Amino acid sequence: MRTPTIRDVAKHAGVGVGTVSRVLNGSDQVREDTRKRVLEAINALGFSPNSAARQLSGGKTFTIGVVSPFFTFPSFVERLAGIQDVLDGTDYDLTLYSIRSTAQLRRRLGALMLQNRVDGLFILALPISEDETFSANPALPIVVVDDTVHVRRYPHLLIDNVRGGQMATEYLLQHGHTRLGFLGDRVDESFGFTSAQDRFKGFQNTLEAAGLPVNMNWCQFCLHGEDYARDAARDILIQPDRPTAIFAAIDTLAFGVLDAASDLGLRVPEDLAVIGFDDIQAAGFAKLTTVRQHLFQSGQRSAELMLDWLRTGHVPSENWSTVMPLEIVERSTV
Amino acid sequence: MRTPTIRDVAKHAGVGVGTVSRVLNGSDQVREDTRKRVLEAINALGFSPNSAARQLSGGKTFTIGVVSPFFTFPSFVERLAGIQDVLDGTDYDLTLYSIRSTAQLRRRLGALMLQNRVDGLFILALPISEDETFSANPALPIVVVDDTVHVRRYPHLLIDNVRGGQMATEYLLQHGHTRLGFLGDRVDESFGFTSAQDRFKGFQNTLEAAGLPVNMNWCQFCLHGEDYARDAARDILIQPDRPTAIFAAIDTLAFGVLDAASDLGLRVPEDLAVIGFDDIQAAGFAKLTTVRQHLFQSGQRSAELMLDWLRTGHVPSENWSTVMPLEIVERSTV
DNA sequence: CTGTTAGCGCGTTCAA
DNA sequence: TTGAACGCGCTAACAG
C-alpha cells in the first residue's frame, strides 16, 4: 500500500484537498469540526506530508547547508555543535558539505546556489568568491564564519587573529619569558588560510614592541597534524640555543609541541612553556594554557543570524560583522 | 529573471524536454550532436536541475540521514567522518539529526520514515524499535551502527564490548597489576547504553578467571564528562587502600582519571596505570594506552553497506552483522 | 533517436 | 468556509 497522500486524506475526511492543506498549515479559515475531521483522517491514515512536493510547490526546502573543510577538526565540530544547537529547535535540517579542495568548493557552491537544495548556507573558514556566489543567486542567505577573505556582502563572524597572537605573546612575556618560539600551520595552501599568519603577525608585533628580536630559527610552519607539529617542534627544541616558550597557533599543534618536549625530557612549564590557541575540548584534557575563542557560541550566533534572515526575508542589519571575543585560559603549561 | 527550467533549455536548444532530461541523466539514447546542442544550451542558461522536482518525480531524495546522540562526542565525530568519507564520492548528501532524548528519537524517526526526506538512515548507538520503524516503512534502508538493542531486521556493525573489557583487563594483569579499578559512564539512562556495562562484565569475568576479587569500592559509574570522571576517580583514589590500575570504559573518562591522578600527585604509570577505550584522537595527544575500536572504518563500512543497499535495491546479505575488531594500543599510561 | 504527455504531492488561487 | 483546478520542474512511458 502506497504512503497516503493529501488526496487520500481528503477523501477519507470527505473534504477537498484544499481544506486538508489548510489544516496542515494551520490556517484559521477552517471550521473547528471540519478541522477535527481532517485531523482524524490524518491520524487514521498515518499521513505525513511529502517533503519534496512541499518543497516544489512552496519553494522552500527547510534545509540549511554547512560548507566546511575538515569538519572533523575539533574547532569545526564545536562550531557545528553550536549551529546544530539552535537549529535543533526549528524546522530546519542541517546538511553537511565537506570540502577538500578549492576546486571542489567552487563546484559545490555553484551547484548549491542553483539547485535549490538549501534555503541557506553557512560557510566556515573557506575562501569564497562572494561576487560569484552573489551573482549566481543573490537571494540565497549565506552566513560566513571565520572568513579567510574579506567579506562585504554577507553577514559574518570572525575573531581578531592578530590580537589573539598579541595576547598569547604578552602572556608569555608577563611570565618572564624573553626567548619565544612560534609554531603555525601551513594547511594545503589552496584554502588560503591566513589565521596562522595573522597570529604570527601579532606575535611579531608584540615582540618588537617589547624590544625583543624575532628569532626565525624558533619559528616554524608545519603541516596540520600532531605528528608534523611534533617534528617541527623537535627541530626547534634540539637547537642548543632554544626558546623557553612556544606559542602554537592552534591547540592541536600545541599538543605536538608537548609531545616533543616530553620526547626530549623537557619539563613543562619549567623547561618549556607552551600556549595554544582555540581552547578545544582536548585542551582541557591536556591542561593546555591557551587562547580561547568561543567556538560553540560563534556557531550559535551565526545560526541566529541565519534564522533571522530566513524569517524576515532580508539580510540582518544588526551584527552584520561580529568580532568574537578572545580570552586567555590559564592552565598548567605556562 | 527566474532560474531557468528544463523547458527553457529545451526551447533554447530547439528540442523537447524529454531529450534534455535524457542528456541530464546520461542516457545513451541521444545523438551526439543533439547532446552537444543541449549541453550548450544548459551552459548558456546556467541551468541546473531543481532538486525538489527531481525528488518528486523520481521518488529519490539523494540524501541520507544520520541519526545520532551527542554528535560532538569524539567517537561519533570520527565515525561520522568515515561515513562522510565514502559518501563524498557519491551523489548523496548527508543530513544530521541530533537526538537528545528517546522521546525526540521516536518523533524524529516517525517523521523521517514517512516524509520521504531521506533515501536511507544511519542510526548510531540509539535504541530504536525496529518493529516500529519497519512497519512504518519497510522499504527504507537503515544501517545500524553500535546497536544498543539487538537488531535483526537491519544490517548492523558493532564491537564486542565484553571482549574489549577482557582485553583491557588482561593487559593490566599482564603488566603485573592485581588491584584493579573500573570507571564507566552512566549516560542519561533513557538511551539504554549498555556498552559500559558490557565492558564492565568483561572486566569482572577476567578478574574472576584470574582468581582475583572485584572490589566494588574501586568501581564507579559516573555521568559522562571529564569533570565527573575526575571526581569519581578521585573518590576511588583517595581511599587509603587504592587500586594500582584503573580501566576507564571510555577514553574521555580516562582523561578524567589522569586529571585526578595528577591532582593527587600520583605518577602515571608508576603509581597508577590507566587504560581507556575507543582510541579517539585525543588519546594520542594524551599518550593514553587504550583499546582501539576502528571508529572511522566502521563509519566507512556502514556507508558501504548503505550504498550497496541503495544501488541494488535490496538489503545486502553479506556482512549483515559485522563485528569490528579491537586491539590494544600501547602508549604510556600503563 | 526524439517530441509529447501524464503524473509525482502539495500549495494556492478562484469560484461557489 | 470550502471544493476544484492549476502549476511547481522533472522523469518516464509512449508514440512517432
Side-chain angles (χ1 to χ4, degrees):
Chain A
M1 191 194 77
R2 242 178 47 278
T3 83
T5 77
I6 197 175
R7 200 140 24 211
D8 301 323
V9 176
K11 198 167 302 169
H12 192 100
V15 302
V17 292
T19 305
V20 178
S21 175
R22 269 166 232 136
V23 173
L24 247 29
N25 296 287
S27 156
D28 51 359
Q29 301 297 83
V30 183
R31 222 186 332 164
E32 201 41 55
D33 58 326
T34 315
R35 174 193 308 283
K36 184 173 290 177
R37 209 142 35 92
V38 171
L39 254 17
E40 274 163 8
I42 288 179
N43 256 313
L45 271 48
F47 165 84
S48 180
N50 176 297
S51 145
R54 186 170 240 176
Q55 286 174 39
L56 185 55
S57 83
K60 301 196 39 147
T61 65
F62 285 100
T63 110
I64 301 179
V66 180
V67 182
S68 152
F70 321 115
F71 86 94
T72 58
F73 281 15
S75 54
F76 289 95
V77 174
E78 293 180 23
R79 235 176 326 224
L80 200 54
I83 293 176
Q84 164 74 49
D85 183 63
V86 353
L87 253 41
D88 202 35
T90 73
D91 280 335
Y92 290 96
D93 283 355
L94 228 211
T95 294
L96 237 49
Y97 297 100
S98 181
I99 302 294
R100 299 176 199 245
S101 68
T102 45
Q104 192 187 13
L105 172 63
R106 293 179 52 108
R107 249 181 294 129
R108 188 53 99 180
L109 280 182
L112 246 23
M113 305 302 295
L114 296 175
Q115 285 177 158
N116 288 99
R117 281 187 86 75
V118 295
D119 289 343
L121 234 34
F122 294 102
I123 299 189
L124 305 194
L126 245 16
I128 66 165
S129 153
E130 51 175 356
D131 291 332
E132 261 179 46
T133 59
F134 191 81
S135 70
N137 182 350
L140 187 70
I142 292 183
V143 173
V144 178
V145 186
D146 227 25
D147 58 333
T148 56
V149 291
H150 188 62
V151 169
R152 297 167 293 109
R153 307 190 113 117
Y154 300 113
H156 49 278
L157 316 207
L158 69 173
I159 58 172
D160 183 343
N161 283 301
V162 177
R163 174 82 193 106
Q166 280 178 15
M167 291 168 65
T169 312
E170 280 164 6
Y171 185 76
L172 257 17
L173 294 178
Q174 283 162 21
H175 281 250
H177 294 279
T178 53
R179 306 161 59 82
L180 306 188
F182 176 93
L183 182 58
D185 72 334
R186 173 165 55 86
V187 184
D188 179 1
E189 344 259 291
S190 59
F191 284 137
F193 287 141
T194 60
S195 51
Q197 297 291 344
D198 290 341
R199 292 169 197 175
F200 182 59
K201 206 169 294 172
F203 174 79
Q204 286 179 303
N205 293 350
T206 309
L207 286 188
E208 280 161 17
L212 259 25
V214 175
N215 183 337
M216 287 308 289
N217 291 327
W218 297 343
C219 299
Q220 293 238 2
F221 289 81
C222 66
L223 286 179
H224 202 288
E226 192 188 356
D227 291 336
Y228 295 113
R230 173 194 225 133
D231 292 343
R234 185 188 173 80
D235 288 347
I236 295 175
L237 294 171
I238 55 175
Q239 303 175 59
D241 179 42
R242 63 171 180 76
T244 62
I246 289 184
F247 166 33
I250 303 179
D251 281 350
T252 45
L253 299 185
F255 297 136
V257 177
L258 294 177
D259 289 344
S262 144
D263 292 346
L264 297 170
L266 297 174
R267 290 165 309 160
V268 174
E270 294 82 355
D271 302 326
L272 180 74
V274 180
I275 186 168
F277 201 113
D278 280 346
D279 193 35
I280 61 175
Q281 285 188 22
F285 301 154
K287 301 199 174 184
L288 179 68
T289 296
T290 190
V291 179
R292 166 180 297 164
Q293 61 166 313
H294 301 266
L295 295 163
F296 187 83
Q297 285 85 341
S298 83
Q300 291 181 310
R301 297 282 293 270
S302 52
E304 281 156 9
L305 279 173
M306 177 65 77
L307 289 178
D308 228 52
W309 193 341
L310 255 15
R311 276 199 269 263
T312 65
H314 52 261
V315 359
S317 48
E318 310 254 329
N319 305 311
W320 174 262
S321 176
T322 304
V323 180
M324 299 292 292
L326 295 172
E327 69 203 41
I328 299 278
V329 182
E330 308 198 67
R331 285 196 272 250
S332 41
T333 58
V334 173
Chain B
M1 191 196 76
R2 242 178 48 278
T3 83
T5 78
I6 197 175
R7 203 137 22 208
D8 300 324
V9 175
K11 200 166 301 171
H12 191 100
V15 302
V17 292
T19 305
V20 179
S21 176
R22 265 165 234 138
V23 332
L24 245 31
N25 296 288
S27 156
D28 51 359
Q29 301 296 85
V30 183
R31 222 189 328 163
E32 201 41 55
D33 57 327
T34 315
R35 173 194 308 282
K36 184 173 290 178
R37 213 144 31 93
V38 172
L39 254 17
E40 276 163 8
I42 288 179
N43 256 313
L45 270 48
F47 165 84
S48 179
N50 176 299
S51 143
R54 186 171 242 176
Q55 286 175 39
L56 185 54
S57 84
K60 300 195 41 148
T61 66
F62 286 101
T63 109
I64 301 180
V66 180
V67 182
S68 152
F70 321 115
F71 86 96
T72 58
F73 281 14
S75 54
F76 289 95
V77 173
E78 292 180 25
R79 234 174 329 221
L80 200 54
I83 293 176
Q84 164 74 50
D85 183 63
V86 353
L87 254 40
D88 202 33
T90 73
D91 280 335
Y92 289 97
D93 282 355
L94 228 210
T95 293
L96 239 48
Y97 297 100
S98 180
I99 302 295
R100 301 177 198 242
S101 67
T102 43
Q104 192 187 12
L105 172 64
R106 291 179 54 108
R107 248 180 295 130
R108 185 56 96 183
L109 281 182
L112 246 24
M113 304 303 294
L114 296 175
Q115 285 176 159
N116 287 99
R117 281 187 85 74
V118 296
D119 289 344
L121 235 33
F122 293 103
I123 299 189
L124 305 194
L126 245 16
I128 65 166
S129 153
E130 53 175 356
D131 291 333
E132 260 178 47
T133 59
F134 191 80
S135 69
N137 183 349
L140 185 72
I142 292 183
V143 173
V144 177
V145 186
D146 226 25
D147 59 332
T148 57
V149 291
H150 187 62
V151 169
R152 296 168 294 108
R153 307 190 114 115
Y154 301 113
H156 49 278
L157 316 207
L158 68 173
I159 58 172
D160 184 342
N161 284 301
V162 177
R163 175 82 193 105
Q166 281 177 15
M167 290 169 65
T169 312
E170 280 164 6
Y171 185 76
L172 258 16
L173 294 178
Q174 283 162 20
H175 280 251
H177 295 280
T178 54
R179 306 160 61 81
L180 305 188
F182 176 91
L183 182 58
D185 73 334
R186 171 165 56 86
V187 183
D188 177 3
E189 346 258 290
S190 59
F191 284 137
F193 287 140
T194 60
S195 51
Q197 296 292 345
D198 290 341
R199 292 169 197 175
F200 182 59
K201 205 169 295 172
F203 173 79
Q204 285 179 304
N205 293 350
T206 309
L207 286 188
E208 281 161 18
L212 259 25
V214 175
N215 183 337
M216 286 310 288
N217 291 326
W218 298 343
C219 298
Q220 292 237 3
F221 289 81
C222 65
L223 286 179
H224 203 287
E226 193 189 356
D227 291 336
Y228 296 112
R230 174 194 225 136
D231 292 344
R234 185 187 173 79
D235 288 347
I236 296 176
L237 294 172
I238 55 176
Q239 304 174 58
D241 179 43
R242 61 171 182 76
T244 62
I246 290 184
F247 166 33
I250 303 180
D251 281 350
T252 46
L253 299 185
F255 296 136
V257 178
L258 294 177
D259 289 343
S262 145
D263 292 345
L264 297 169
L266 297 173
R267 289 165 307 160
V268 175
E270 295 82 355
D271 302 326
L272 179 74
V274 179
I275 186 167
F277 201 113
D278 280 345
D279 193 35
I280 61 176
Q281 284 188 23
F285 301 155
K287 301 199 171 181
L288 179 69
T289 295
T290 190
V291 180
R292 166 180 296 163
Q293 62 166 314
H294 301 265
L295 294 163
F296 187 85
Q297 285 84 343
S298 82
Q300 290 181 311
R301 297 282 292 272
S302 52
E304 280 155 11
L305 279 172
M306 176 64 78
L307 289 177
D308 228 53
W309 193 341
L310 255 15
R311 275 199 270 264
T312 64
H314 51 261
V315 0
S317 47
E318 308 255 329
N319 304 311
W320 174 261
S321 176
T322 305
V323 179
M324 299 293 293
L326 295 172
E327 69 203 42
I328 298 278
V329 182
E330 309 198 67
R331 284 198 272 251
S332 40
T333 58
V334 173

